[in-house]
Amino acid sequence: MNDQEETLVPTVEQLRALEFMGSVLWSRNSFGVLHSEPGCGKGRLVGMFLEQLDERIARVRIDRCDLDSREFVRDILRQLGIAIETEDRTDLRRLLERYLEHRASLGRMAVLVVENAQRLRPQVLEELGQLAALEAGGVRMVKVLLTGDASLCRVVDSPRMRELLGEAGIRFALSAAPPANASVRMSMQGAEEREIVLTAARLLIGRSEVADLQIDSSFVSRYHALILREGPHHLLLDLGSTNGFLVNSHRVQKRVLQDGDLIQIGPVRLDYRSQSSSSVQDGDATLSMRGPVLSDEDPSVLSFGRAS
């Protein structure tokens, strides 16, 4: 499976967000704030950012908002590979500070990413602010990246957080990419051709009556596949169907659809057309649906598999 099937191609705005996250590490600021509305792909970008870091940088990612301050510090230690049995928050905090100080003495830093930080408990925010302020030889021991929605800025700008952090930090507002204008043009034997405009964020394909695009075939599962809108792109996902699907004659589990992709689901073919799939610019997309093609002379007609 190629990389394209595993990840989406970042938009220009998302590439800028990745560049911003990198700048948090090397700036003099102790922390950075990445905020956006839901659905902009912050979580995926955080994963991409952390994967790019080398072994000199210790990585911690907190994605739970229900932790108390003791659990918060314990989770950081756990991700740093330090197991400790004590329940005393002071002991946990002292151990964490010593570990970070040791890394700083070796010229190595740590990065702490906290997702949905606007939902953290007040005592955890206090702990976070104190960690961000730790220094050794004038160098920050840990760089903090906070992600969340627009309300996160109000949290960071609160008097107590400003008192703890002593600065406003650097910030980046990730804008949602304009959704691709897409439609499904459907034509099957014995049925009149029709076009389905994709105004929703998803298109469910299957044999079920609740499917957005229903295919009445025993070779198609009730909930067969899903097309998700991801910014200017569309992602095709297999929902654990019996027979799966083919894209350009190759069986895949998921695929970032590209202009000209030929999708085969059971006896049905779908021809995907989009100007936005080949670049970061937004454009129009069309998914044409054709009925069964059963000619033995057509090499692209493959066995459909087992009936569901």
Side-chain angles (χ1 to χ4, degrees):
M1 187 173 293
N2 60 39
D3 292 338
Q4 187 185 56
E5 293 161 10
E6 294 292 340
T7 60
L8 295 180
V9 179
T11 64
V12 170
E13 185 73 1
Q14 289 172 333
L15 289 173
R16 291 181 182 138
L18 286 170
E19 183 180 6
F20 165 78
M21 286 187 271
S23 72
V24 173
L25 295 180
W26 314 117
S27 74
R28 295 188 177 185
N29 296 79
S30 60
F31 74 101
V33 175
L34 174 65
H35 62 92
S36 75
E37 294 305 314
C40 291
K42 291 190 299 295
R44 184 168 58 87
L45 290 175
V46 167
M48 294 173 63
F49 166 66
L50 294 177
E51 287 176 2
Q52 294 172 0
L53 302 180
D54 62 32
E55 69 279 357
R56 294 173 298 173
I57 303 176
R59 291 156 283 186
V60 177
R61 182 177 185 176
I62 304 293
D63 58 4
R64 292 180 54 191
C65 306
D66 59 341
L67 302 175
D68 60 28
S69 57
R70 179 181 57 81
E71 294 168 331
F72 178 72
V73 176
R74 180 185 288 279
D75 198 10
I76 294 174
L77 287 168
R78 178 187 60 80
Q79 293 190 46
L80 291 173
I82 303 172
I84 186 170
E85 296 300 325
T86 182
E87 296 294 323
D88 187 88
R89 186 179 67 85
T90 303
D91 289 343
L92 291 169
R93 174 65 184 279
R94 185 181 299 115
L95 177 61
L96 178 57
E97 288 187 16
R98 288 177 178 174
Y99 177 80
L100 293 174
E101 186 175 3
H102 171 68
R103 287 190 61 86
S105 69
L106 299 175
R108 300 191 172 191
M109 70 168 63
V111 58
L112 170 61
V113 179
V114 183
E115 300 181 74
N116 293 313
Q118 74 278 358
R119 301 178 185 172
L120 293 176
R121 297 178 179 181
Q123 63 267 35
V124 176
L125 288 171
E126 291 261 349
E127 196 73 49
L128 185 61
Q130 293 171 17
L131 282 174
L134 291 176
E135 289 188 358
V139 178
R140 302 286 187 181
M141 295 187 195
V142 58
K143 290 299 184 77
V144 175
L145 175 64
L146 308 177
T147 74
D149 59 27
S151 65
L152 176 57
C153 293
R154 294 195 296 272
V155 173
V156 172
D157 288 334
S158 66
R160 179 55 181 158
M161 289 302 292
R162 291 297 292 270
E163 179 183 346
L164 286 169
L165 298 169
E167 57 180 272
I170 55 176
R171 308 183 187 192
F172 185 89
L174 176 61
S175 301
N181 298 319
S183 63
V184 176
R185 188 170 302 158
M186 177 177 175
S187 62
M188 296 184 66
Q189 288 183 349
E192 187 175 327
E193 183 176 301
R194 63 192 178 97
E195 186 174 35
I196 303 172
V197 179
L198 302 180
T199 55
R202 67 165 207 172
L203 178 76
L204 176 62
I205 303 172
R207 199 177 68 246
S208 170
E209 293 181 356
V210 302
D212 303 306
L213 198 162
Q214 186 179 12
I215 302 175
D216 187 13
S217 168
S218 60
F219 297 104
V220 176
S221 299
R222 295 180 68 240
Y223 307 105
H224 199 104
L226 190 68
I227 295 178
L228 291 174
R229 187 181 68 215
E230 289 277 352
H233 306 285
H234 286 95
L235 177 65
L236 176 64
L237 298 172
D238 190 331
L239 298 180
S241 63
T242 302
N243 297 312
F245 54 73
L246 304 177
V247 179
N248 303 328
S249 299
H250 297 284
R251 181 158 183 167
V252 296
Q253 295 294 315
K254 58 183 177 179
R255 165 79 174 179
V256 181
L257 293 174
Q258 300 292 307
D259 185 50
D261 277 350
L262 184 64
I263 306 162
Q264 184 170 329
I265 299 178
V268 173
R269 291 181 179 180
L270 302 95
D271 186 15
Y272 181 82
R273 297 291 178 183
S274 173
Q275 295 178 3
S276 63
S277 61
S278 58
S279 70
V280 296
Q281 304 297 323
D282 58 304
D284 294 330
T286 302
L287 189 60
S288 301
M289 184 169 183
R290 301 190 180 92
V293 180
L294 303 177
S295 169
D296 292 335
E297 297 178 357
D298 188 344
S300 64
V301 176
L302 305 179
S303 171
F304 298 141
R306 303 189 305 275
S308 297

